[in-house]
Amino acid sequence: MRGNYKEVCSVVIKKSGTSINLEDGGYYRVGNTKGCKIGDEVKVEYLPFTRYATITNIFHSK
């Protein structure tokens, strides 16, 4: 984790364009959602006062 960035790891429950909704209630604008699908667990890095994030790791569901 760098500076003021936070990380969360949760399962994708909805994808819409460049945004994802996570099982823990989080909603993030990640820019590119092509690498993940609903049911995948993702690790997301974000600034707490924004909803803009980067997916830093994807754990694909089977």
Side-chain angles (χ1 to χ4, degrees), residues 9 21 39 41-42 47 61:
C9 194
N21 291 66
E41 185 173 354
V42 294
L47 283 170
S61 62

Side-chain angles (χ1 to χ4, degrees), residues 21-59:
N21 291 66
L22 301 180
E23 193 172 61
D24 71 349
Y27 166 80
Y28 302 97
R29 303 197 86 185
V30 295
N32 184 357
T33 61
K34 291 180 183 177
C36 69
K37 62 184 183 301
I38 293 172
D40 287 348
E41 185 173 354
V42 294
K43 186 181 284 186
V44 175
E45 187 176 81
Y46 68 99
L47 283 170
F49 52 87
T50 72
R51 289 287 126 197
Y52 293 100
T54 300
I55 296 174
T56 57
N57 208 340
I58 301 171
F59 307 96

Side-chain angles (χ1 to χ4, degrees), residues 10-30:
S10 190
V11 175
V12 177
I13 59 170
K14 182 179 178 185
K15 285 177 40 174
S16 177
T18 61
S19 301
I20 57 172
N21 291 66
L22 301 180
E23 193 172 61
D24 71 349
Y27 166 80
Y28 302 97
R29 303 197 86 185
V30 295

